[in-house]
Amino acid sequence: MNKIAIEDLNLQYADGTESLNGINLEVPANAITVLFGPAGGGKSSLLRCINRLNDLAEVKKMTGRILLDGGNILDQKTDVIALRRKVGMVFARPVVLPMSIRQNLTYGLELAGEKHKSRLDEAVERSLKQAALWEEVHDRLDEAAIALSGGQQQRLCLARVLALRPEVILLDEPTSGLDPISTGKVEASLQELKKNYTVILVPHSVQQAARTADHAAFFLQGKLVEYAPGTEIFTNPQDQRTEDYVTGRFG
């Protein structure tokens, strides 16, 4: 069952760069879909379209449709704030709020109107466990989040998204600045999270793409070159450009 369907999506920025060209892609629910390829291929732009972050950019033209559960999120009538609660995003560089660990997780819920301490406490514990961080911080939730290591801060940013109970999680190179141990913890978390969420990941390497992908889409210069199950695209790609990239001949 598909959670998201992207139909003939085109995106051109005001500076004339065309970031996406005729993208058609179906994203299945409860799976990790990886978008990979060289820098400048349009992967991050596509993530930003899916939760309307490109509303904040200088866009000259955007056409096509992005259907989430059948509804077009690019429609002018879309409640963008509600959409971003349903479609959360984690960026490459962790940005924690200048608050305690606990407050980083409850801030969004309180803004949304949640006042009950028991429900806030439940959300803190649940989201930290889902992000594989609970065991490391459960006894210091009232300490400053900025004191956490880089890997812990990244998992806290993931937990902050999870606290809002989204349906889709977008991750843009979330482990690019992390050590191998922290990277492994994030990847292990994603394998658990896909049981309950739809995950779209832009990985920081081909190796990470191959490790994590249930489905993978290869992007090159704003175009979707090939889309297939992860087990196939990294072992038997059908397009020569995909094979050249996967085997390290370019990129």
Side-chain angles (χ1 to χ4, degrees):
M1 178 180 174
N2 293 319
K3 182 70 173 176
I4 296 171
I6 298 165
E7 299 179 349
D8 199 25
L9 182 67
N10 297 277
L11 172 68
Q12 186 173 15
Y13 290 110
D15 62 5
T17 56
E18 186 172 59
S19 188
L20 296 169
N21 188 349
I23 305 300
N24 290 280
L25 179 66
E26 293 183 340
V27 178
N30 302 112
I32 298 174
T33 298
V34 163
L35 315 179
F36 74 105
K43 309 178 297 294
S44 295
S45 289
L46 180 56
L47 288 190
R48 293 170 67 86
C49 287
I50 295 173
N51 78 340
R52 293 280 296 267
L53 276 178
N54 268 328
D55 289 8
L56 308 175
E58 291 292 326
V59 173
K60 179 179 180 181
K61 183 180 72 172
M62 183 161 61
T63 60
R65 300 200 303 169
I66 300 177
L67 304 179
L68 175 64
D69 295 327
N72 181 19
I73 67 170
L74 299 183
D75 191 293
Q76 293 296 322
K77 298 176 183 176
T78 297
D79 183 336
V80 176
I81 293 174
L83 171 68
R84 290 178 186 153
R85 286 196 65 181
K86 188 179 286 189
V87 183
M89 188 157 177
V90 180
F91 298 93
R93 184 177 178 182
V95 180
V96 298
L97 301 174
M99 303 173 175
S100 69
I101 296 169
R102 186 195 310 275
Q103 289 170 319
N104 263 266
L105 299 170
T106 60
Y107 180 74
L109 291 168
E110 290 171 342
L111 277 182
E114 182 58 74
K115 303 298 182 187
H116 291 84
K117 184 178 184 302
S118 60
R119 287 201 283 267
L120 292 171
D121 288 345
E122 183 278 328
V124 168
E125 182 172 349
R126 171 183 53 78
S127 60
L128 286 172
K129 285 180 175 177
Q130 288 178 321
L133 189 56
W134 173 254
E135 293 300 325
E136 297 170 41
V137 303
H138 68 90
D139 56 350
R140 51 189 179 120
L141 295 175
D142 295 315
E143 294 181 13
I146 197 67
L148 296 173
S149 70
Q152 290 172 327
Q153 286 187 30
Q154 187 61 288
R155 282 179 282 147
L156 180 62
C157 290
L158 175 58
R160 194 167 64 204
V161 168
L162 293 169
L164 294 171
R165 291 189 182 274
E167 297 175 17
V168 179
I169 305 170
L170 311 175
L171 303 108
D172 193 0
E173 298 191 21
T175 61
S176 60
L178 304 186
D179 61 85
I181 292 175
S182 295
T183 295
K185 289 181 178 179
V186 171
E187 290 180 5
S189 295
L190 297 182
Q191 295 299 329
E192 285 298 311
L193 289 171
K194 73 180 183 183
K195 297 174 183 177
N196 297 302
Y197 302 91
T198 299
V199 179
I200 305 177
L201 168 69
V202 174
H204 74 264
S205 67
V206 174
Q207 292 78 14
Q208 183 176 62
R211 286 195 302 268
T212 56
D214 294 309
H215 306 273
F218 176 56
F219 282 77
L220 184 64
Q221 296 177 331
K223 296 182 179 180
L224 174 57
V225 174
E226 185 171 350
Y227 177 61
T231 51
E232 295 179 16
I233 202 167
F234 296 108
T235 58
N236 186 31
Q238 300 302 300
D239 190 288
Q240 185 63 46
R241 292 167 294 178
T242 312
E243 182 170 350
D244 288 346
Y245 185 75
V246 167
T247 56
R249 293 192 182 99
F250 78 95

